[in-house]
């Protein structure tokens, strides 16, 4: 599922775009804090950005220029600034497309599909669940400004959960996954690794992330309260 980041300061348009994209089966991240917009966009690792020009603190063209210093993420400007010079400036400074407001929803979706279609698939260096990031390259899990180093087995276990969020995962599935990754692991070793993984999650306030489903296996689900380790 493609992830699209919306950078738009008008709340009504934010909500309209969010609903439109979710109904079109896109994952959506809305930027609501307009400080360090480029850094927030890069952090959420989207497949495409919908970017307004007129924003608080800095304009969208400056944001696009900052993005282009470190990222090739496609940018579609969605803006009420509709002159040919505005469009030219957006495209010359790193934009991939330009849509004028007010826009027709079906036309905007068609432009998004066209840009995504011609954009090379990005390498998946990170997985996300809610506001939690699993960084595969650095073997770290990050949440709310805190991070935790993971062992090879802990990383592979969490990768499996992140690829199957909110689904019941059996112990056999986890052991098969680790075996496929080149790590032989038996039932006792899995218990030890699950326990160690939970302890590390607990240290960054994610102790309830992996819950036990008695007689079935485990499930990764966002919930409040202490970890269920039965």
């Amino acid at each position: 599922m493609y992830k699209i980041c919306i950078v738009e300061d008008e709340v009504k348009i934010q909500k309209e775009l969010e609903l439109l994209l979710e109904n079109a089966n896109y994952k959506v991240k809305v930027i609501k804090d307009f400080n360090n917009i480029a850094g927030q966009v890069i952090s959420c690792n989207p497949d495409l950005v919908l970017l307004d020009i007129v924003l608080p603190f800095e304009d969208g063209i400056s944001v696009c220029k900052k993005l282009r210093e470190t990222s090739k993420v496609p940018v579609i400007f969605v803006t009420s600034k509709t002159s040919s010079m505005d469009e030219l400036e957006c495209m010359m400074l790193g934009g991939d497309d330009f849509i004028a407001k007010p826009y027709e929803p079906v036309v905007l979706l068609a432009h998004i599909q066209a840009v995504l279609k011609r954009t090379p698939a990005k390498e998946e260096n990170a997985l996300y669940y809610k506001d939690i990031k699993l960084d595969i390259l650095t073997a770290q899990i990050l949440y709310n400004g805190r991070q935790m180093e993971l062992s090879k087995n802990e990383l592979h276990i969490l990768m499996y959960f992140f690829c199957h969020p909110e689904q019941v995962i059996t112990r056999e599935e986890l052991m098969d996954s680790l075996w496929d990754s080149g790590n032989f692991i038996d039932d006792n070793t899995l218990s030890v690794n699950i326990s160690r993984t939970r302890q590390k999650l607990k240290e960054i306030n994610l102790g309830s992330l992996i819950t036990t489903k008695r007689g079935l296996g485990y499930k990764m689900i966002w919930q409040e309260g202490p970890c269920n380790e039965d």
Side-chain angles (χ1 to χ4, degrees), residues 101-208:
K101 298 176 185 175
Y103 53 82
E104 288 291 335
V106 292
V107 174
L108 176 59
L109 290 175
H111 278 257
I112 290 170
Q113 291 171 6
V115 171
L116 289 171
K117 189 173 182 179
R118 66 176 184 254
T119 303
K122 66 180 181 182
E123 276 188 46
E124 286 295 339
N125 295 328
L127 298 173
Y128 296 84
Y129 174 66
K130 305 297 183 181
D131 293 324
I132 309 164
K133 176 180 178 181
L134 183 65
D135 192 315
I136 298 169
L137 287 182
T138 63
Q140 293 180 326
I141 187 163
L142 303 94
Y143 171 66
N144 201 23
R146 305 179 70 181
Q147 61 190 46
M148 182 59 60
E149 302 284 341
L150 302 168
S151 70
K152 185 177 180 181
N153 280 353
E154 292 160 357
L155 175 63
H156 279 287
I157 287 170
L158 286 173
M159 284 172 61
Y160 198 84
F161 279 111
F162 271 69
C163 290
H164 303 84
E166 301 181 9
Q167 299 178 29
V168 174
I169 307 298
T170 67
R171 294 176 64 85
E172 290 75 17
E173 286 178 272
L174 287 173
M175 287 188 286
D176 288 345
S177 173
L178 287 162
W179 174 264
D180 289 342
S181 68
N183 299 307
F184 174 74
I185 187 167
D186 59 20
D187 195 71
N188 289 335
T189 308
L190 178 62
S191 295
V192 171
N193 278 274
I194 290 288
S195 178
R196 289 174 177 170
T197 302
R198 279 173 159 161
Q199 182 58 42
K200 289 189 176 180
L201 292 173
K202 188 176 181 180
E203 292 183 36
I204 55 172
N205 298 326
L206 292 173
S208 61

Side-chain angles (χ1 to χ4, degrees), residues 49-62:
V49 182
L50 296 182
L51 179 61
D52 194 6
I53 293 180
V54 181
L55 296 166
F57 310 126
E58 61 178 330
D59 62 69
I61 292 174
S62 297

